């Protein structure tokens, strides 16, 4: 099914801007570990009142399980000055301080609270 130019003009008159996206595949990963893959589809991005939404039409759909080993954990970059500062402030070792920074996304304030037991 192809989006008709006439339909796009009607949407624009209603204040909805529409752009066709030349997509070859759409992948949706759900919170419960599923992946929905839609190939050979048409995708349109629509914007109205500051919000964007996407419409996927047609295509071949399949569902997959997301394997745990394919999930990549991105480690935050840790500043050496932050490590030294936290070691001085808490008296903790370098390994423990780095672990606290990793667990708290590199946030020095959260890591300090974590190391001192002041987490809420």
């Amino acid at each position: 099914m192809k989006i008709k130019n006439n339909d796009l003009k009607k949407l624009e008159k209603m204040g909805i801007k529409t752009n066709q996206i030349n997509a070859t595949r759409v992948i949706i990963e759900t919170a419960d570990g599923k992946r929905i893959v839609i190939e050979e589809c048409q995708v349109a991005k629509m914007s109205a009142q500051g919000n964007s939404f996407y419409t996927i039409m047609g295509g071949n759909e399949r569902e997959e399980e997301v394997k745990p080993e394919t999930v990549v954990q991105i480690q935050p970059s840790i500043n050496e000055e932050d490590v030294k500062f936290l070691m001085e402030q808490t008296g903790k070792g370098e390994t423990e301080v780095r672990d606290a920074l990793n667990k708290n996304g590199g946030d020095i304030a959260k890591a300090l609270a974590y190391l001192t037991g002041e987490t809420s």
Side-chain angles (χ1 to χ4, degrees):
M1 170 190 274
K2 181 98 171 119
I3 300 174
K4 298 175 187 171
N5 284 337
N6 195 25
D7 293 336
L8 295 176
K9 289 179 184 175
K10 288 179 186 176
L11 290 171
E12 285 183 24
K13 285 182 182 178
M14 294 188 301
I16 300 172
K17 295 180 183 175
T18 306
N19 295 321
Q20 291 282 91
I21 297 175
N22 188 17
T24 57
R25 177 182 307 123
V26 175
I27 300 171
I28 303 168
E29 293 184 354
T30 65
D32 63 349
K34 302 272 187 213
R35 180 180 291 144
I36 301 167
V37 180
I38 307 168
E39 297 184 279
E40 300 175 22
C41 57
Q42 286 191 318
V43 179
K45 177 181 179 183
M46 298 179 207
S47 302
Q49 299 177 354
N51 295 310
S52 295
F53 54 98
Y54 296 83
T55 303
I56 304 165
M57 292 181 290
N60 302 316
E61 178 184 335
R62 71 177 186 276
E63 197 169 298
E64 302 173 347
E65 292 278 334
V66 177
K67 297 176 184 172
E69 63 268 10
T70 62
V71 177
V72 176
Q73 293 284 336
I74 298 174
Q75 294 291 332
S77 77
I78 295 176
N79 184 330
E80 293 302 317
E81 292 171 7
D82 292 347
V83 173
K84 290 177 185 175
F85 172 78
L86 287 172
M87 288 172 63
E88 291 170 2
Q89 294 296 312
T90 64
K92 306 286 184 181
E94 183 178 351
T95 303
E96 194 172 357
V97 167
R98 287 183 182 281
D99 183 51
L101 283 165
N102 281 326
K103 286 182 180 177
N104 290 284
D107 186 312
I108 193 169
K110 288 180 182 178
L112 180 61
Y114 176 84
L115 288 165
T116 59
E118 298 177 15
T119 57
S120 54

